[in-house]
Amino acid sequence: MKLVKTLLIAASLVAAFVSASAFAQTTNKDIVVAGMKGLFITRDASVIDKYWSPGYIQHNPAVPNGAEVLRGWIKSLPPDFKYEPGMVVAEGDLVMMHGRYSGMGPKPMVGVDIFRLSGGKIVEHWDVLQEEVTQTASGNPMFTKPAN
Protein backbone atom coordinates (compact mmCIF):
# COMPACT_ATOMS: atom_id res chain seq x y z
CA MET A 1 0.00 0.00 0.00
CA LYS A 2 2.85 2.37 0.85
CA LEU A 3 4.51 1.62 -2.52
CA VAL A 4 1.28 2.38 -4.40
CA LYS A 5 0.90 5.68 -2.52
CA THR A 6 4.54 6.61 -3.32
CA LEU A 7 4.04 5.76 -6.99
CA LEU A 8 0.86 7.87 -7.14
CA ILE A 9 2.64 10.84 -5.58
CA ALA A 10 5.56 10.44 -7.99
CA ALA A 11 3.17 10.24 -10.97
CA SER A 12 1.37 13.38 -9.77
CA LEU A 13 4.65 15.27 -9.48
CA VAL A 14 5.71 14.23 -13.00
CA ALA A 15 2.31 15.26 -14.40
CA ALA A 16 2.53 18.64 -12.64
CA PHE A 17 6.05 19.22 -14.01
CA VAL A 18 5.03 18.29 -17.56
CA SER A 19 1.97 20.57 -17.36
CA ALA A 20 4.06 23.49 -16.06
CA SER A 21 6.64 22.94 -18.80
CA ALA A 22 3.94 23.00 -21.46
CA PHE A 23 2.95 26.48 -20.35
CA ALA A 24 6.51 27.80 -20.06
CA GLN A 25 6.70 31.12 -21.82
CA THR A 26 8.77 31.40 -24.96
CA THR A 27 11.25 34.27 -24.68
CA ASN A 28 12.14 36.79 -27.37
CA LYS A 29 15.57 35.16 -27.50
CA ASP A 30 13.96 31.74 -28.15
CA ILE A 31 11.86 33.25 -30.97
CA VAL A 32 14.84 34.84 -32.73
CA VAL A 33 17.05 31.76 -32.41
CA ALA A 34 14.29 29.45 -33.70
CA GLY A 35 13.47 31.88 -36.51
CA MET A 36 17.06 32.34 -37.68
CA LYS A 37 17.86 28.63 -37.49
CA GLY A 38 14.66 27.77 -39.33
CA LEU A 39 15.21 30.41 -41.98
CA PHE A 40 18.92 29.91 -42.67
CA ILE A 41 19.83 26.41 -41.43
CA THR A 42 16.81 24.20 -42.17
CA ARG A 43 15.41 26.65 -44.79
CA ASP A 44 11.91 26.10 -43.46
CA ALA A 45 9.56 28.78 -44.81
CA SER A 46 6.94 27.98 -42.14
CA VAL A 47 9.05 29.87 -39.57
CA ILE A 48 8.24 33.10 -41.41
CA ASP A 49 4.54 32.88 -40.54
CA LYS A 50 5.32 31.65 -37.05
CA TYR A 51 7.96 34.20 -36.00
CA TRP A 52 7.82 37.23 -38.32
CA SER A 53 5.18 39.93 -38.45
CA PRO A 54 3.72 40.44 -41.96
CA GLY A 55 4.55 44.15 -41.58
CA TYR A 56 8.20 43.38 -40.75
CA ILE A 57 10.36 46.53 -41.06
CA GLN A 58 13.80 46.06 -42.62
CA HIS A 59 16.71 48.49 -42.13
CA ASN A 60 19.23 46.71 -44.38
CA PRO A 61 19.53 49.06 -47.39
CA ALA A 62 19.43 46.16 -49.88
CA VAL A 63 16.31 44.41 -48.52
CA PRO A 64 12.69 45.62 -48.83
CA ASN A 65 10.17 45.62 -45.97
CA GLY A 66 7.78 42.75 -45.35
CA ALA A 67 8.08 39.15 -44.20
CA GLU A 68 7.20 37.81 -47.67
CA VAL A 69 10.63 38.93 -48.90
CA LEU A 70 12.16 36.25 -46.68
CA ARG A 71 10.47 33.47 -48.70
CA GLY A 72 12.42 34.62 -51.75
CA TRP A 73 15.62 34.61 -49.73
CA ILE A 74 15.17 30.97 -48.74
CA LYS A 75 14.59 29.97 -52.37
CA SER A 76 17.58 31.97 -53.63
CA LEU A 77 20.17 30.69 -51.15
CA PRO A 78 23.00 28.86 -52.94
CA PRO A 79 23.37 25.15 -52.11
CA ASP A 80 26.67 25.81 -50.29
CA PHE A 81 25.20 28.62 -48.13
CA LYS A 82 25.81 28.09 -44.43
CA TYR A 83 24.70 30.07 -41.38
CA GLU A 84 26.42 29.55 -38.03
CA PRO A 85 24.75 31.17 -35.03
CA GLY A 86 26.94 32.59 -32.31
CA MET A 87 26.28 34.70 -29.25
CA VAL A 88 22.75 35.91 -28.54
CA VAL A 89 21.97 38.82 -26.24
CA ALA A 90 18.45 39.85 -25.30
CA GLU A 91 17.06 42.75 -23.34
CA GLY A 92 13.39 43.59 -23.31
CA ASP A 93 12.02 43.69 -26.85
CA LEU A 94 15.51 43.67 -28.47
CA VAL A 95 17.58 40.62 -29.40
CA MET A 96 21.05 40.67 -30.99
CA MET A 97 22.49 37.58 -32.66
CA HIS A 98 26.11 37.23 -33.78
CA GLY A 99 26.63 34.88 -36.70
CA ARG A 100 28.70 33.80 -39.68
CA TYR A 101 27.26 33.66 -43.20
CA SER A 102 29.23 31.76 -45.82
CA GLY A 103 28.57 30.65 -49.37
CA MET A 104 27.08 33.96 -50.54
CA GLY A 105 30.27 35.55 -51.77
CA PRO A 106 34.01 35.10 -51.98
CA LYS A 107 34.51 35.41 -48.21
CA PRO A 108 32.39 34.54 -45.19
CA MET A 109 30.57 37.46 -43.61
CA VAL A 110 30.40 37.98 -39.85
CA GLY A 111 27.44 39.93 -38.65
CA VAL A 112 25.27 41.07 -35.82
CA ASP A 113 21.56 40.97 -36.51
CA ILE A 114 19.44 43.15 -34.26
CA PHE A 115 15.74 42.38 -33.91
CA ARG A 116 12.85 44.15 -32.23
CA LEU A 117 9.92 41.98 -31.21
CA SER A 118 6.33 42.76 -30.34
CA GLY A 119 3.56 40.33 -29.41
CA GLY A 120 5.80 37.30 -29.91
CA LYS A 121 6.77 38.27 -33.49
CA ILE A 122 9.87 39.79 -35.09
CA VAL A 123 8.75 43.23 -36.25
CA GLU A 124 11.99 45.03 -37.10
CA HIS A 125 15.57 44.20 -38.13
CA TRP A 126 18.94 45.93 -38.43
CA ASP A 127 22.25 44.32 -39.26
CA VAL A 128 25.94 45.08 -39.34
CA LEU A 129 27.99 42.84 -41.66
CA GLN A 130 31.63 42.67 -42.68
CA GLU A 131 33.89 40.23 -44.45
CA GLU A 132 35.57 37.86 -42.06
CA VAL A 133 39.26 38.53 -41.53
CA THR A 134 41.31 35.51 -40.52
CA GLN A 135 44.54 37.34 -39.54
CA THR A 136 43.69 39.85 -36.82
CA ALA A 137 46.10 42.13 -34.98
CA SER A 138 45.07 40.55 -31.66
CA GLY A 139 45.23 36.98 -32.93
CA ASN A 140 41.61 36.51 -31.84
CA PRO A 141 39.04 35.37 -34.40
CA MET A 142 36.14 37.61 -35.38
CA PHE A 143 33.67 34.79 -34.80
CA THR A 144 33.55 32.11 -32.16
CA LYS A 145 30.62 30.03 -31.01
CA PRO A 146 29.80 30.45 -27.32
CA ALA A 147 30.34 27.52 -24.99
CA ASN A 148 27.03 26.00 -23.91
Side-chain angles (χ1 to χ4, degrees), residues 45-64:
S46 73
V47 300
I48 297 165
D49 295 327
K50 187 172 183 178
Y51 299 118
W52 272 266
S53 168
Y56 171 64
I57 300 166
Q58 178 60 254
H59 294 278
N60 180 307
V63 182

Side-chain angles (χ1 to χ4, degrees), residues 65-133:
N65 288 331
E68 281 304 310
V69 171
L70 301 174
R71 287 184 206 290
W73 270 68
I74 290 175
K75 292 176 186 173
S76 71
L77 291 173
D80 61 340
F81 172 83
K82 183 177 178 186
Y83 174 71
E84 299 170 78
M87 296 175 275
V88 183
V89 178
E91 177 148 348
D93 64 349
L94 298 174
V95 177
M96 293 186 291
M97 191 164 183
H98 190 227
R100 176 191 284 138
Y101 299 85
S102 55
M104 290 183 69
K107 287 187 171 184
M109 301 290 284
V110 175
V112 176
D113 290 280
I114 305 165
F115 301 93
R116 185 175 66 81
L117 290 86
S118 180
K121 299 274 187 174
I122 298 169
V123 297
E124 201 162 4
H125 171 259
W126 299 260
D127 58 21
V128 180
L129 296 165
Q130 75 178 85
E131 285 187 351
E132 184 173 26
V133 175

